[in-house]
Amino acid sequence: MDHSLKIYFFFLLLLSIIPSSDQQHPLDSLNPTEFVRVRAIVNQSYPLSHNNLTFQYIGLNEPDKQVLISWLEKVNNLPTPPPPPSREAFVIARINHKTHELVVDLSHDEIVSDRVYEGNGYPLLTFEEQNGANQLVYGFAPFLASIAKRGLKIKEVVCGSFTVGWFGGTRRTGRIVRVMCYYLDGTVNLYMRPIEGITVTVDLEAMKVVHFKDRLVVPTPKGDGTDYRESRQKAPFGPELKRITVVQPDGPSFTIDGGRVRWANWDFHLSLDARAGPIVSLAAVYDTEKQQFRRVMYRGFVSELFVPYMDLTEEWYYRTFFDAGEYGYGLCAVPLEPLRDCPANAVFRSAFVTGRDGTPIEIPNVFCIFERNAGDIMWRHTETMIPSGLVTEVRPDVSLVVRMVSTVGNYDYINDWEFKQIGSIKVTVGLSGLLEVRGTQYTHKDQIHEEVYGTLLAENTLGAHHDHFLTYYLDLDVDGESNSFVKSELQTVRVNDPSSPRKSYWKVVSETARTESDAKVKLGSDSADLLVVNPNKRTKMGNFVGYRLIPGSVAGPLLTDDDYPQIRGDFTEYNVWVTPYNKSEKWAGGTYVDQSRGDDTLATWTSRNRRIENKDIVLWYTLGFHHVPYQEDFPLMPTISTGFELWPANFFENNPVLKVKAPNINVRWPNCSM
């Protein structure tokens, strides 16, 4: 039976066993039934018999914010909950070689909006078209001749499709990729064995090779010692650790109802988007003094991931990737391995994306959710001043973690959203996986007398310098939508009073940003507190309630402003931006990033310099890494992590964990002697 027919009949069966839920949360990801309905509705308007149709993206078209907030208030306050807002899907499709933006109303099974996009840039690549481009080279005679010339076996060659970027041209080149290839032959670590000098350009619409070049021949790096599989490792090994067990005999303390997660003093919604990956919405924290949940964040997710490489050779200069907008951060999510990716007490959740033809594809175990008790201390004090005796109080830091891993080519990004009882949200990204290396004739550093744009890691193997910039979209609603952004600088003050023995001190000077230009921040050596406050809500002491952004490690772009990759990635120029809420402004690099020209980015939106004081605002935060490879990154990379934290700042009347009780912990220590 034809493979596509098998898929079709499978999903007919799927529809018969998956009920259409009327109890879905308005922010739940589209389910398999809805994906199939979207596909059918679009196919009805554009029959495949008369149209060339591919689905580049299908996701939830979330309800207007005010509509959803109004519905939530009624659900919480009325005895009979009203029906939820209508479900809609947002679709980006290529129809007869044009990009269509469609809004599909799932309540009435109809397309309510159909707009042809005429601007610069193209939509997400699909796995199917990338695989199609990769397979073309195996039937392309010049490529086969180049492989034979190098003495390589074609059956050991594996290829990948790379986006080409934009470098100042005014003519649209169409949807093309460059196919670069690697060599296995005894290892699965293909990224350590690049086949250099060959460039194959493929037109994705015509699905044919439109350009080929074999520029030079350099040695293919050796495969010895590059295989990272545990089963293939040989002695000697490092010291072995004794068993570690994570057990919750009473089960988890959190509950999951659809996409809603409740734990300790937190209540939030979790979903998956093919482009953004995990989306955390409606995060609210319980205030024990007020006896109510209070709003913190309406929506948070990775908006873009910009990875420019610094190698200027012909086969490398265009490698300036936008992993969310070109490849799909959620589309590249991978199933998590129990006991390896996540501890034994983790609960796993699956989710769905779609293929090029619109059929749903399940990603099993895409999320794991678990309580972390890693031996950290939430708060403690030992009092030695009381004559009657020592007083010691300690509370362990137990938190809730939501994890997803996105593998975009050679890199694995480990994404954690961690909720703490103090009322903070800690966001962490860990980088692991494999380097992108370039083959070279050099076998020792002393041979190198030119710019090679990287580090010699092994014989014939250069690790290229590159950056990673992740831009987060953080729609904070601190105790409501009307918020302001406050930058509080710490300023040194010289003491001029001769009667004081001190010569200096520092004070806090706060400024509320009135417009978007006031809110742009480049983090560095200056000491500053960055807060989102609700100017309409005060504590009993008169302070505005707020949440503070606590950055992790700071990195900014080092490319010049007129370099074409930086023009496209100019949203990384500042670590912090603040914009007024606009439903259409979600993607920092623009909606259409493949071959974009930087004319629809966060930086261009803010050039309008809109007012943001006491408005519904969105905080954008960019964290970054400058990666200079070292030999410890070969043949695989240990995980390096950074992130940021959203921390309550005068949000509560006092410390919210004063009355938090430590969990009951029963420990049986083994008999041991030292």
Side-chain angles (χ1 to χ4, degrees):
M1 183 185 292
D2 179 79
H3 182 64
S4 61
L5 285 177
K6 289 181 181 179
I7 294 176
Y8 175 74
F9 286 121
F10 169 75
F11 283 106
L12 283 181
L13 174 64
L14 187 70
L15 288 175
S16 69
I17 61 177
I18 297 180
S20 178
S21 173
D22 294 327
Q23 304 301 317
Q24 279 184 298
H25 191 283
L27 294 181
D28 282 352
S29 305
L30 297 179
N31 62 36
T33 304
E34 292 173 320
F35 280 130
V36 172
R37 287 170 59 197
V38 169
R39 178 191 180 197
I41 293 165
V42 175
N43 285 344
Q44 186 174 12
S45 295
Y46 295 97
L48 295 177
S49 57
H50 298 91
N51 297 278
N52 185 317
L53 166 65
T54 60
F55 294 91
Q56 308 300 128
Y57 170 85
I58 304 177
L60 176 71
N61 187 39
E62 70 267 18
D64 289 338
K65 185 174 179 180
Q66 288 305 319
V67 170
L68 180 59
I69 290 173
S70 175
W71 176 78
L72 288 170
E73 289 174 348
K74 292 175 182 177
V75 167
N76 293 330
N77 297 318
L78 295 179
T80 303
S86 60
R87 297 275 287 175
E88 291 183 346
F90 180 69
V91 179
I92 298 177
R94 290 287 289 177
I95 304 175
N96 302 324
H97 308 299
K98 292 185 177 180
T99 299
H100 285 245
E101 297 176 351
L102 305 114
V103 177
V104 178
D105 185 339
L106 291 165
S107 302
H108 299 92
D109 288 345
E110 62 179 353
I111 296 173
V112 295
S113 175
D114 185 349
R115 170 179 172 264
V116 176
Y117 173 72
E118 302 285 0
N120 297 314
Y122 296 105
L124 280 172
L125 276 65
T126 67
F127 285 144
E128 293 90 338
E129 61 193 1
Q130 292 177 65
N131 291 334
N134 300 340
Q135 292 302 313
L136 282 178
V137 303
Y138 297 104
F140 189 65
F143 176 79
L144 298 176
S146 292
I147 295 299
K149 179 174 70 175
R150 288 164 170 77
L152 305 177
K153 295 174 282 190
I154 189 64
K155 68 177 183 179
E156 300 290 345
V157 174
V158 178
C159 300
S161 295
F162 290 4
T163 52
V164 300
W166 170 72
F167 294 90
T170 57
R171 187 176 64 87
R172 291 166 64 91
T173 60
R175 297 186 65 234
I176 61 172
V177 293
R178 293 210 172 102
V179 177
M180 310 302 292
C181 298
Y182 306 87
Y183 201 55
L184 296 174
D185 200 21
T187 181
V188 296
N189 196 342
L190 57 99
Y191 290 102
M192 294 306 108
R193 307 203 72 193
I195 303 171
E196 294 293 344
I198 302 174
T199 301
V200 185
T201 305
V202 172
D203 184 324
L204 292 177
E205 305 275 308
M207 199 51 73
K208 68 176 183 179
V209 176
V210 293
H211 183 262
F212 175 82
K213 186 174 183 179
D214 187 349
R215 186 176 68 90
L216 81 167
V217 176
V218 298
T220 301
K222 298 175 183 178
D224 297 347
T226 63
D227 199 317
Y228 48 78
R229 289 174 291 182
E230 188 174 4
S231 61
R232 298 300 179 94
Q233 305 310 307
K234 299 178 181 178
F237 296 102
E240 187 172 350
L241 300 179
K242 290 181 169 53
R243 289 182 299 170
I244 299 175
T245 302
V246 179
V247 178
Q248 287 184 280
D250 300 323
S253 298
F254 59 88
T255 61
I256 303 174
D257 180 11
R260 185 179 182 183
V261 182
R262 282 169 282 189
W263 172 82
N265 54 343
W266 280 103
D267 188 334
F268 61 92
H269 184 275
L270 175 66
S271 62
L272 180 82
D273 179 78
R275 180 165 177 171
I279 298 179
V280 174
S281 304
L282 305 177
V285 65
Y286 190 73
D287 188 326
T288 54
E289 185 163 308
K290 295 181 181 291
Q291 293 287 291
Q292 66 181 32
F293 277 97
R294 299 170 64 191
R295 292 160 61 185
V296 175
M297 185 175 71
Y298 180 73
R299 212 151 166 81
F301 55 85
V302 173
S303 177
E304 193 50 85
L305 172 52
F306 178 37
V307 188
Y309 281 81
M310 301 299 119
D311 194 320
L312 304 189
T313 55
E314 187 170 334
E315 294 79 24
W316 278 75
Y317 74 89
Y318 56 85
R319 301 190 193 193
T320 54
F321 305 121
F322 292 78
D323 286 344
E326 293 175 336
Y327 295 98
Y329 203 52
L331 202 62
C332 294
V334 295
L336 298 172
E337 294 286 332
L339 305 181
R340 296 292 181 106
D341 284 316
C342 309
N345 62 328
V347 173
F348 293 85
R349 305 288 287 179
S350 300
F352 288 83
V353 293
T354 62
R356 187 186 187 196
D357 64 355
T359 56
I361 299 170
E362 183 179 13
I363 308 177
N365 294 358
V366 71
F367 292 124
C368 73
I369 303 170
F370 60 93
E371 289 165 281
R372 171 182 282 157
N373 184 357
D376 296 324
I377 297 171
M378 181 166 61
W379 68 268
R380 80 167 323 281
H381 180 63
T382 297
E383 183 54 69
T384 61
M385 297 284 288
I386 299 175
S388 60
L390 209 64
V391 176
T392 297
E393 284 288 320
V394 185
R395 299 292 185 274
D397 189 11
V398 181
S399 59
L400 183 75
V401 178
V402 175
R403 176 169 295 167
M404 187 210 79
V405 172
S406 182
T407 300
V408 189
N410 55 301
Y411 261 93
D412 293 61
Y413 296 93
I414 305 155
N415 303 269
D416 282 2
W417 288 80
E418 184 173 4
F419 296 83
K420 293 175 170 282
Q421 294 178 84
I422 184 64
S424 72
I425 304 174
K426 184 177 181 180
V427 183
T428 306
V429 60
L431 277 64
S432 191
L434 309 165
L435 281 173
E436 188 80 59
V437 304
R438 174 162 65 92
T440 178
Q441 71 271 26
Y442 298 119
T443 59
H444 194 277
K445 183 180 178 181
D446 291 350
Q447 300 168 346
I448 302 174
H449 302 290
E450 60 175 333
E451 177 60 75
V452 293
Y453 314 109
T455 305
L456 190 67
L457 304 174
E459 290 186 3
N460 310 119
T461 306
L462 284 166
H465 300 152
H466 60 283
D467 297 322
H468 301 262
F469 297 107
L470 286 92
T471 299
Y472 285 82
Y473 172 104
L474 303 166
D475 181 3
L476 299 183
D477 283 357
V478 179
D479 243 3
E481 301 100 90
S482 296
N483 288 178
S484 295
F485 179 69
V486 177
K487 181 179 179 181
S488 297
E489 293 187 347
L490 309 184
Q491 294 185 359
T492 301
V493 180
R494 187 77 179 176
V495 176
N496 296 317
D497 184 354
S499 65
S500 174
R502 294 287 297 273
K503 301 297 183 183
S504 64
Y505 68 101
W506 60 258
K507 67 178 181 178
V508 179
V509 179
S510 298
E511 179 183 4
T512 299
R514 300 184 183 278
T515 65
E516 291 174 281
S517 63
D518 296 336
K520 296 186 289 188
V521 177
K522 284 185 180 180
L523 296 171
S525 58
D526 292 342
S527 298
D529 269 9
L530 307 174
L531 299 95
V532 173
V533 304
N534 189 325
N536 312 294
K537 302 281 184 71
R538 292 175 181 258
T539 64
K540 294 175 182 177
M541 297 298 102
N543 297 306
F544 292 131
V545 302
Y547 259 74
R548 180 165 52 125
L549 171 68
I550 302 178
S553 60
V554 175
L558 298 176
L559 300 177
T560 59
D561 292 342
D562 61 348
D563 197 0
Y564 295 108
Q566 187 57 34
I567 291 172
R568 299 174 68 210
D570 58 356
F571 54 88
T572 63
E573 182 180 357
Y574 293 91
N575 299 98
V576 177
W577 309 72
V578 179
T579 62
Y581 171 81
N582 184 325
K583 181 182 174 182
S584 66
E585 295 177 358
K586 295 195 298 185
W587 311 115
T591 304
Y592 300 97
V593 181
D594 180 24
Q595 299 181 52
S596 63
R597 302 183 183 182
D599 52 6
D600 178 30
T601 70
L602 172 59
T604 57
W605 308 334
T606 60
S607 63
R608 289 173 279 178
N609 202 24
R610 296 163 291 186
R611 297 194 68 83
I612 58 172
E613 186 179 11
N614 202 10
K615 302 281 188 183
D616 188 359
I617 58 177
V618 176
L619 179 72
W620 306 75
Y621 177 68
T622 297
L623 58 85
F625 300 83
H626 298 302
H627 193 168
V628 178
Y630 293 93
Q631 286 183 236
E632 287 78 7
D633 294 324
F634 177 89
L636 74 164
M637 292 181 295
T639 301
I640 182 172
S641 300
T642 191
F644 61 93
E645 197 156 358
L646 300 170
W647 194 274
N650 297 324
F651 187 81
F652 299 101
E653 293 294 343
N654 51 34
N655 193 328
V657 295
L658 174 65
K659 297 181 181 180
V660 168
K661 293 184 176 182
N664 292 323
I665 301 174
N666 296 320
V667 179
R668 292 183 62 188
W669 295 100
N671 294 324
C672 60
S673 60
M674 298 296 291

